[in-house]
Amino acid sequence: TKPFSIRELLARVRAILRRSDGTKKRLSRYRFSDVELDFEMYQAKKSGEPLDLSPREFELLRYLIERKGDTVSRDRLLEDVWGYESYPSTRTVDTHIAKLRAKIGDSGSEPRHILTIHGMGYKFVDAAEA
């Protein structure tokens, strides 16, 4: 809607172009630990029981899994998953990561799958593949 910031429009266009890289196929299904994910149908199960994830949580998890083993900064997550430039004081990413960890059973003092790399960002690790 108008009025809008040209900087924000450009940031959103760049994020969409990055996400629509035609050479890389998007992940459609993934399984780790006792969690099964179907990114096309937006369905998740934990220990065979339905898991209630929001569309944003699905996209955040898919983004981290597609970059498995790589540290992804909060700024990159904000740009590529949320579609806007970073805001220095936002805790949006941290809040979503905490909720996602709780839902997949990865919360606590030592998460196994979504790791915090202090001062850098987050990394997804699949212990079964390590």
Side-chain angles (χ1 to χ4, degrees), residues 30 32 68-69 112-113 115 123-130:
Y30 193 78
F32 65 96
K68 187 175 13 181
R112 298 171 304 161
H113 300 291
L115 308 180
K123 173 172 34 176
F124 181 85
V125 176
D126 191 343
E129 294 182 3

Side-chain angles (χ1 to χ4, degrees), residues 1-6 8:
T1 61
K2 292 181 184 178
F4 59 88
S5 162
I6 295 296
E8 181 174 345

